[in-house]
Amino acid sequence: MSEDLWSEQDEAGWRSEIESLFGRTLQEALQQYDDPLAVGDRLGDLLKALEKDAAKLVVPRAVRKWASVKNRSEWEKVLQDETMLSDLRAIGTSIANTMRPLAGNTFASWVSEVLNASFRHYELPMSCVTRGKIKKDLSRRLVIESEEQQISLKPDIDMVIVHVTGGRQRVPLAIVSAKTTLAERVMQTINWKRYVTQLPEDVRNIKLYLVTAWEIFPEGDVNRERVQELDGVYVCNTDFQQYGNIKPFSSLLEDLKLLLPPEATSSS
């Protein structure tokens, strides 16, 4: 960030403006309707209607906060042009919407490649599966039955770890959910784990592991305790704090080996 372009005073002024915009909009709506609950029914609509006005404050802040000093004059021209400002907002939204899934999909693919490379390196009879019949069948089986309905609380099955026997039969051992951050529906994964005893017996003992790219799990982080319900959490960065079942990614292989029958690892 360039301090020459954006100061603490600028940030305070911007925050005051944006809070004023939101506050004013809500108060105007409350005055429009006799019943506050009628406003509650429309909060989503109010936010959507505010999008353009909010962007007029958010986009210039982003430019002035992050653009380099040498490009300042060119960016100022863009900010003065309503059409360019609108384009910039659309471009920024597109970039953000593309980068999030791109990072997530790439991370899951990398985890799978590293695991399979590790299985080959250590001559372990395991494979990491990301598509195909085994994954589809397992996904179909991981549905909790109740008297009233079928409850699907299953986690994101990014990959399945299977035991490959001599006859090329592949037996599912574990599910691995890969997430760059735990903002990505981690509670769905945890909730499913809570109900696992209600699954059919042949899939009840399948382990559920979480691999994350960027989480560091500092002391006091709510997710630090939440994820203790999972069978294992493995982190792919060097800044995280090891705690309970939160371990470095390199520990995953040893935990997976424990799922194999003893004779399968005797020669590895």
Side-chain angles (χ1 to χ4, degrees):
M1 183 181 76
S2 173
E3 297 296 337
D4 293 334
L5 297 181
W6 195 259
S7 65
E8 290 184 6
Q9 186 175 358
D10 290 327
E11 180 70 12
W14 175 83
R15 193 163 297 281
S16 177
E17 281 189 89
I18 202 76
E19 289 176 357
S20 176
L21 173 64
F22 290 146
R24 186 171 64 252
T25 299
L26 179 59
Q27 291 306 313
E28 289 173 355
L30 288 170
Q31 292 173 14
Q32 182 179 352
Y33 296 93
D34 294 331
D35 188 346
L37 292 178
V39 178
D41 289 339
R42 295 166 172 79
L43 287 178
D45 297 333
L46 289 174
L47 280 174
K48 189 173 182 179
L50 265 180
E51 192 174 0
K52 186 174 182 180
D53 287 336
K56 289 180 180 178
L57 294 174
V58 171
V59 174
R61 170 185 178 265
V63 168
R64 289 170 178 146
K65 190 172 183 179
W66 298 107
S68 63
V69 175
K70 69 177 183 178
N71 293 327
R72 180 171 188 172
S73 61
E74 295 302 316
W75 279 116
E76 287 299 330
K77 293 176 186 176
V78 171
L79 297 180
Q80 299 306 315
D81 187 322
E82 285 274 344
T83 303
M84 293 292 287
L85 194 60
S86 177
D87 286 350
L88 181 59
R89 171 181 161 275
I91 291 168
T93 300
S94 176
I95 291 171
N97 289 342
T98 301
M99 289 296 290
R100 280 192 294 268
L102 185 63
N105 292 339
T106 299
F107 177 61
S109 175
W110 283 1
V111 169
S112 175
E113 287 191 42
V114 170
L115 283 175
N116 279 323
S118 299
F119 297 153
R120 292 191 297 269
H121 180 79
Y122 291 99
E123 299 181 345
L124 293 171
M126 287 191 283
S127 178
C128 182
V129 177
T130 58
R131 62 175 66 86
K133 187 176 184 299
I134 279 189
K135 184 177 174 183
K136 289 179 181 178
D137 288 348
L138 186 59
S139 181
R140 178 177 50 81
R141 298 281 289 152
L142 298 181
V143 177
I144 297 164
E145 302 279 359
S146 71
E147 293 182 3
E148 299 82 15
Q149 60 181 337
Q150 287 187 339
I151 305 172
S152 179
L153 296 172
K154 62 178 177 288
D156 293 328
I157 305 177
D158 293 309
M159 55 203 82
V160 180
I161 307 301
V162 297
H163 174 204
V164 183
T165 67
R168 301 190 65 80
Q169 180 183 2
R170 299 190 294 175
V171 180
L173 299 174
I175 293 168
V176 178
S177 182
K179 298 182 183 298
T180 52
T181 74
L182 299 196
E184 304 169 13
R185 303 195 307 175
V186 68
M187 283 310 299
Q188 179 182 357
T189 301
I190 293 172
N191 283 336
W192 182 85
K193 179 62 177 174
R194 290 172 181 172
Y195 286 90
V196 72
T197 56
Q198 298 179 34
L199 289 171
E201 189 173 354
D202 62 325
V203 292
R204 192 177 299 167
N205 294 324
I206 290 177
K207 299 296 184 182
L208 178 56
Y209 298 129
L210 174 68
V211 178
T212 179
W214 299 325
E215 294 293 335
I216 61 173
F217 297 104
E219 188 174 352
D221 178 18
V222 63
N223 284 323
R224 194 174 192 231
E225 297 298 335
R226 281 176 175 170
V227 299
Q228 297 303 316
E229 296 188 45
L230 302 176
D231 292 307
V233 180
Y234 306 89
V235 187
C236 300
N237 70 69
T238 56
D239 296 322
F240 85 101
Q241 296 183 24
Q242 189 162 334
Y243 172 77
N245 68 354
I246 302 171
K247 310 172 187 178
F249 177 80
S250 54
S251 297
L252 176 54
L253 190 68
E254 287 302 314
D255 289 345
L256 288 173
K257 286 173 65 175
L258 296 175
L259 306 181
L260 289 169
E263 64 273 14
T265 58
S266 59
S267 60
S268 62

